[in-house]
């Protein structure tokens, strides 16, 4: 383990649960004497020590309120928020300040001081905590090196890119040797390539420093890129939670499905979507989405279906990827309109723990499937 953030009073074996929400609700008094506004309701959620848990939700779903409860910037109206087994709301002010030093936070818009250099921005929490110059020097330079900014030590925020500013924010959040790191939409202001580099950095920090990370986002790509566990929040309630692979490959709640709808491979190609119908028509094909996961994720399933049932399968869209290091794929295909055939294919896939969704009927505009697919390729 990297000893950069080690602390004499930090246990070698962290508690099983780093952060725990127990039946937490949060309400705000509305303006001009109106009724209260419920930001969170009946939140029951655990963040395993050393894990990366992502909370995803739309704007106004309650994500920011949830994360602010962890470091006591907000207090619950009901229920308890426990950090390392300590009830945050019941701490005296001095003990709350001590707890906050064990909780780092990074923000969407970086929150750097423009008048301070990279070094001095990272040093700020240590200065506030009363650390000596020697202590600051011993911690800050290694942190700047950890986030890949050794050559930017004396630069000011105005001289940095967005990704570099976020790296400064991460180093600053790590300065007080936290055991928990909170990420509040930390990549939302960054381009995809920079987002990927920041997620890679957070993954490294999580693995090397055994740091628990709780991040909130509205982007499924961020969850897929870094999280091990995920919770979906809607209207102030957790509507679905669990292992990120299971949730991505077998979503149960409509909100989760909506977030995943635009994921690569899941979305119907526009040409197919425009011609999709709920009822069959002359010359139409049944459109299926096959979800590849588990031990049979890499099997040549389509060729097996073709050989076993003597049917031509048209590939209309799809993608193959990995989630949490496990293979996962989605294929959207067309098969002849034949109910018994569909039953056979469904049973064939179920026996291999592969999922099947019937999406509708695709009326081919060309005279033959081959011509139709050629037209699709031409349009694409």
């Amino acid at each position: 383990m990297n000893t950069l953030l080690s602390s004499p009073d930090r246990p070698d074996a962290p508690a099983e649960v780093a952060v725990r929400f127990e039946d937490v609700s949060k309400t705000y008094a509305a303006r001009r004497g109106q009724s209260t506004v419920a930001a969170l309701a009946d939140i029951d959620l655990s963040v395993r020590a050393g894990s990366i848990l992502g909370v995803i939700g739309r704007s106004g779903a309650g994500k920011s309120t949830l994360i602010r409860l962890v470091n006591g910037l907000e207090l619950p109206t009901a229920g308890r928020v426990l950090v390392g087994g300590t009830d945050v709301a019941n701490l005296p002010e001095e003990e709350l300040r001590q707890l906050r030093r064990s909780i780092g936070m990074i923000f969407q818009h970086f929150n750097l001081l423009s008048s301070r250099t990279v070094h001095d921005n990272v040093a700020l929490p240590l200065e506030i905590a009363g650390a000596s110059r020697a202590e600051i020097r011993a911690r800050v330079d290694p942190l700047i090196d950890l986030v890949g900014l050794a050559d930017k030590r004396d630069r000011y925020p105005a001289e940095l890119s967005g990704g570099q500013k976020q790296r400064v924010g991460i180093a600053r959040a790590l300065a007080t040797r936290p055991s928990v790191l909170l990420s509040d939409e930390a990549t939302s202001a960054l381009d995809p390539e920079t987002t990927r580099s920041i997620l890679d950095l957070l993954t490294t920090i999580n693995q090397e420093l055994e740091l628990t990370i709780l991040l909130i986002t509205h982007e499924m790509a961020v969850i897929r890129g870094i999280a091990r566990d995920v919770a979906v929040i809607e209207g102030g309630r957790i509507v679905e939670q669990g292992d990120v692979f299971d949730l991505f490959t077998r979503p149960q709640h409509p909100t989760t499905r909506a977030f995943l709808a635009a994921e690569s491979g899941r979305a119907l190609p526009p040409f197919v979507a425009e011609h999709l119908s709920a009822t069959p028509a002359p010359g139409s094909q049944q459109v299926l989405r096959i979800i590849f996961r588990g031990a049979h994720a890499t099997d040549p399933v389509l060729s097996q279906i073709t050989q076993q049932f003597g049917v031509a399968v048209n590939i209309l869209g799809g993608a193959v990827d990995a989630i949490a290091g496990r293979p996962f794929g989605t294929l959207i295909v067309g098969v002849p309109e034949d109910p018994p055939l569909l039953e056979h294919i469904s049973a064939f896939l179920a026996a291999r723990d592969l999922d099947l969704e019937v999406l509708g009927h695709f009326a081919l505009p060309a005279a033959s499937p081959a011509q139709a697919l050629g037209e699709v390729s031409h349009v694409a």
Side-chain angles (χ1 to χ4, degrees), residues 60 204 338:
T204 298
D338 185 345

Side-chain angles (χ1 to χ4, degrees), residues 281-285 337 362-364 366 369:
S284 68
Q285 291 187 328
E337 297 281 4
F362 178 44
L364 301 174

Side-chain angles (χ1 to χ4, degrees), residues 10 41 52 71-72 80 99 115 147 173 187-188 201 204 211 227 231 242 258 278 307 319-320 331 337 344 380:
R10 181 175 174 181
I52 302 176
N71 56 13
R80 299 195 304 165
L99 179 71
S115 60
V147 300
T187 61
S188 294
L201 174 59
T204 298
L211 191 64
Q307 293 172 7
V320 178
L331 280 179
E337 297 281 4
H344 289 312

Side-chain angles (χ1 to χ4, degrees), residues 1-5 10 146 201-211 228:
M1 171 184 171
N2 189 315
T3 60
L4 181 61
L5 304 186
R10 181 175 174 181
L146 174 69
L201 174 59
L202 291 176
T203 300
T204 298
I205 289 170
N206 165 256
Q207 294 173 348
E208 294 189 2
L209 307 181
E210 298 180 3
L211 191 64
R228 302 174 192 172

Side-chain angles (χ1 to χ4, degrees), residues 68-328:
R68 287 167 64 87
L69 289 170
V70 178
N71 56 13
L73 295 177
E74 300 281 359
L75 298 178
T77 305
R80 299 195 304 165
V81 180
L82 307 175
V83 177
T86 299
D87 187 345
V88 176
N90 285 336
L91 288 177
E93 187 61 32
E94 177 57 33
E95 292 184 30
L96 180 58
R97 283 196 294 269
Q98 292 293 333
L99 179 71
R100 284 173 175 160
R101 290 171 189 158
S102 72
I103 303 171
M105 191 163 185
I106 52 177
F107 305 90
Q108 178 180 359
H109 297 296
F110 323 125
N111 289 10
L112 303 180
L113 296 180
S114 60
S115 60
R116 296 175 70 102
T117 64
V118 167
H119 175 278
D120 292 345
N121 265 287
V122 176
L124 183 60
L126 299 173
E127 294 174 10
I128 294 173
S132 68
R133 289 185 178 181
E135 289 174 317
I136 292 173
R137 186 167 53 252
R139 290 193 208 174
V140 171
D141 286 341
L143 282 171
I144 293 174
D145 185 59
L146 174 69
V147 300
L149 294 178
D151 60 335
K152 303 290 190 295
R153 181 185 185 279
D154 298 317
R155 299 289 183 87
Y156 289 88
E159 302 175 87
L160 304 177
S161 67
Q164 290 168 340
K165 291 176 184 176
Q166 194 55 280
R167 288 173 180 268
V168 178
I170 292 171
R172 181 184 57 191
L174 299 177
T176 56
R177 298 185 177 125
S179 57
V180 175
L181 180 64
L182 307 178
S183 171
D184 185 1
E185 297 277 12
T187 61
S188 294
L190 305 176
D191 62 74
E193 183 177 353
T194 305
T195 292
R196 180 67 264 170
S197 70
I198 293 298
L199 295 181
D200 288 344
L201 174 59
L202 291 176
T203 300
T204 298
I205 289 170
N206 165 256
Q207 294 173 348
E208 294 189 2
L209 307 181
E210 298 180 3
L211 191 64
T212 303
I213 299 178
L214 171 61
L215 64 89
I216 63 172
T217 183
H218 63 275
E219 301 172 290
M220 267 296 185
V222 171
I223 298 292
R224 181 171 63 165
I226 187 173
R228 302 174 192 172
D229 305 304
V230 59
V232 182
I233 188 168
E234 178 72 15
R237 297 177 181 273
I238 301 295
V239 297
E240 189 167 2
Q241 60 179 295
D243 174 81
V244 67
F245 183 85
D246 292 337
L247 189 138
F248 261 76
T249 58
R250 285 179 175 162
Q252 302 299 311
H253 195 273
T255 299
T256 312
R257 294 194 184 109
F259 272 116
L260 289 169
E263 279 287 297
S264 175
R266 284 183 177 269
L268 282 170
F271 182 80
V272 176
E274 290 172 7
H275 294 83
L276 197 68
S277 171
T279 57
S284 68
Q285 291 187 328
Q286 193 123 10
V287 180
L288 314 176
R289 180 188 285 122
I290 302 174
I291 309 295
F292 294 79
R293 48 169 283 152
H296 296 279
T298 58
D299 287 2
V301 172
L302 296 189
S303 63
Q304 292 173 353
I305 290 174
T306 298
Q307 293 172 7
Q308 183 159 336
F309 302 113
V311 59
V313 179
N314 290 335
I315 299 176
L316 303 175
V320 178
D321 206 340
I323 298 175
R326 298 157 69 182
F328 166 71

